[in-house]
Amino acid sequence: MKFKLESKDQNSKARAGEIQTDHGLIQTPIFMPVGTAGSVKAVHQRELTYDVKAQIILGNTYHLYLRPGLDVLEKAGGLHKFIGWSSPILTDSGGYQVFSLEGNRKIKEEGVVFKSHIDGSKHHFTPESVMDIQRTIGADIIMAFDECTPYPCDWSYAKNSMHLTHRWLKRCIDHFDSTTGKYGYAQSLFPIVQGSTYKDLRKDAAHFVSDQDREGNAIGGLSVGEPAEMMYEMTDLVTDILPEDKPRYLMGVGTPANILEGIALGIDMFDCVMPTRNARNGMLFTSEGIINIRNERWKMDFSPLDSGFHSHVSNFYTKAYLRHLTISKEMLAAQIASIHNLSFYLWLVTQAREHILAGDFSSWKNTMVEKVSRRL
């Protein structure tokens, strides 16, 4: 993997760059649709490519490990071939999912023992096994195994968790570097900066992660319930430390406004289930603001979902029609809304990139944050 920094904004830490992988080029800043179990919910791969214009998607190690299982994925030749996706894929380590199984998992120095949410069967993840699992899944970018601390948590817990994450990271790196991929293309390992919402811990973690000198770095443990301003403060602090010549990935973020503010703080990569999850509940993100399509006001509105950017579904279908489908619980409603929201997210980061390159990102960002945050 290679990262080229193309341009930096003069009035913020925003940057435009390119990530070159064996499965293609990623232009940053970028948003990655979440395909948890090998599927971006309600969206075909063809639509991801031609309508959404996704450049990279995300899969989840925990879910793919349980279903369809590593034997199926390896027999298929990896996740790319299994799902019919020829562009880059990133897998998260499954750490967030495992640690969210409170009451059904036990954390030890060696790793984590947990029970499947599907059938209650017992499983064991270690830093080494998670590297092997992600090698088998076959993502272009794989994540180190970490503990994602809850919010809030006390300083002592956050400190001990951070040090455990660092010991696990060393084991991830040693095992990753002693193995090779299975499908004939390169894979890259990203460490994750933890430390909860404590400045001293975030600084220590950012320095430790930077010292590992991997091809990219991630920031985890944010967007887990803390106030947005606190998330921005931690992100700002960490991006001051992480190396400038490597991509920075803010995990699990977020709203359109969160993404714009994250870009201004020097983040290059984002993912979140929000555009598809909220779409299935009738929430649309648009270039003019947020729409609850269930509201009565859209019943007789025959204007396009959003004519502010080029997207087939956004310009073809009307608000009145999508409201009808949503109220009627038609499956097509989830499809249209999901494609629209993802198309909007990809349009938004592409616009951010163009304004960084043009040199007027900060003024554009301030206007857009206000627009995309208002309720219509």
Side-chain angles (χ1 to χ4, degrees):
M1 193 195 84
K2 295 179 180 177
F3 178 65
K4 180 174 73 173
L5 190 58
E6 293 178 293
S7 182
K8 290 165 37 177
D9 181 51
Q10 295 299 308
N11 299 305
S12 72
K13 293 195 284 185
R15 348 101 49 89
E18 289 185 344
I19 301 170
Q20 181 67 57
T21 75
D22 286 352
H23 279 102
L25 185 70
I26 305 161
Q27 294 185 314
T28 65
I30 192 65
F31 179 81
M32 301 178 284
V34 177
T36 303
S39 163
V40 177
K41 286 183 172 56
V43 184
H44 291 285
Q45 272 68 300
R46 179 180 175 83
E47 293 163 339
L48 281 173
T49 300
Y50 296 107
D51 295 337
V52 174
K53 302 189 187 312
Q55 299 176 41
I56 174 173
I57 61 173
L58 182 146
N60 180 261
T61 293
Y62 167 84
H63 289 283
L64 291 166
Y65 162 80
L66 292 176
R67 286 190 302 209
L70 300 183
D71 53 343
V72 173
L73 291 170
E74 189 161 15
K75 182 77 172 178
L79 185 60
H80 288 88
K81 290 186 176 179
F82 184 59
I83 69 173
W85 178 254
S86 59
S87 296
I89 296 175
L90 179 148
T91 43
D92 69 18
S93 68
Y96 178 81
Q97 283 71 28
V98 167
F99 297 114
S100 67
L101 295 170
E102 192 134 21
N104 286 313
R105 48 89 172 146
K106 184 174 288 188
I107 305 170
K108 300 180 178 180
E109 184 68 35
E110 183 185 355
V112 180
V113 176
F114 64 93
K115 290 182 179 179
S116 164
H117 73 286
I118 299 167
D119 59 10
S121 57
K122 187 176 286 188
H123 303 270
H124 190 199
F125 274 6
T126 67
E128 293 80 9
S129 70
V130 167
M131 294 300 95
D132 289 339
I133 292 166
Q134 290 186 85
R135 286 287 201 192
T136 300
I137 294 171
D140 301 86
I141 299 171
I142 75 175
M143 306 307 297
F145 192 51
D146 64 326
E147 182 185 359
C148 181
T149 52
Y151 176 84
C153 68
D154 63 43
W155 182 86
S156 295
Y157 183 94
K159 180 185 178 184
N160 291 335
S161 174
M162 179 192 74
H163 286 306
L164 178 64
T165 286
H166 292 172
R167 293 192 296 275
W168 283 355
L169 173 58
K170 283 290 193 182
R171 289 167 57 189
C172 285
I173 290 170
D174 289 344
H175 194 74
F176 180 83
D177 288 349
S178 67
T179 59
T180 57
K182 298 185 175 184
Y183 310 115
Y185 53 85
Q187 294 175 294
S188 298
L189 171 64
F190 281 24
I192 302 172
V193 176
Q194 289 289 351
S196 187
T197 54
Y198 299 100
K199 291 182 181 180
D200 57 336
L201 300 183
R202 283 287 174 181
K203 287 180 182 178
D204 289 347
H207 283 296
F208 184 88
V209 161
S210 298
D211 290 344
Q212 307 314 304
D213 195 26
R214 306 310 295 188
E215 291 169 294
N217 299 298
I219 304 171
L222 296 175
S223 193
V224 291
E226 78 284 355
E229 290 308 315
M230 192 173 283
M231 174 176 69
Y232 300 148
E233 182 182 14
M234 294 300 110
T235 302
D236 192 24
L237 186 154
V238 170
T239 54
D240 276 345
I241 297 169
L242 292 179
E244 191 176 71
D245 62 345
K246 296 178 180 181
R248 304 161 179 161
Y249 165 30
L250 182 57
M251 305 179 74
V253 176
T255 67
N258 291 159
I259 289 172
L260 291 174
E261 297 292 1
I263 292 170
L265 295 171
I267 297 297
D268 307 296
M269 305 169 70
F270 302 86
D271 80 284
C272 192
V273 298
M274 185 174 285
T276 47
R277 177 179 289 169
N278 288 26
R280 296 193 301 276
N281 293 314
M283 178 181 284
L284 302 185
F285 298 101
T286 79
S287 58
E288 295 298 325
I290 301 168
I291 290 174
N292 181 350
I293 202 65
R294 294 177 175 273
N295 287 349
E296 185 77 14
R297 67 170 295 185
W298 310 116
K299 185 175 182 179
M300 294 292 186
D301 190 327
F302 302 105
S303 64
L305 298 178
D306 191 349
S307 57
F309 65 99
H310 180 71
S311 160
H312 171 69
V313 300
S314 308
N315 286 273
F316 185 82
Y317 295 106
T318 68
K319 298 179 182 74
Y321 180 56
L322 182 56
R323 181 183 183 277
H324 157 69
L325 294 176
T326 304
I327 296 295
S328 302
K329 298 183 179 180
E330 288 287 339
M331 286 188 290
L332 185 57
Q335 293 179 274
I336 292 171
S338 296
I339 296 168
H340 163 78
N341 278 353
L342 288 173
S343 298
F344 170 71
Y345 268 60
L346 267 296
W347 171 81
L348 189 66
V349 294
T350 300
Q351 285 291 298
R353 173 184 169 81
E354 290 179 4
H355 284 280
I356 294 167
L357 293 172
D360 64 350
F361 169 78
S362 290
S363 58
W364 171 83
K365 186 269 291 185
N366 292 336
T367 299
M368 285 304 297
V369 164
E370 185 178 343
K371 287 176 71 174
V372 301
S373 300
R374 63 192 180 195
R375 298 272 175 166
L376 298 177

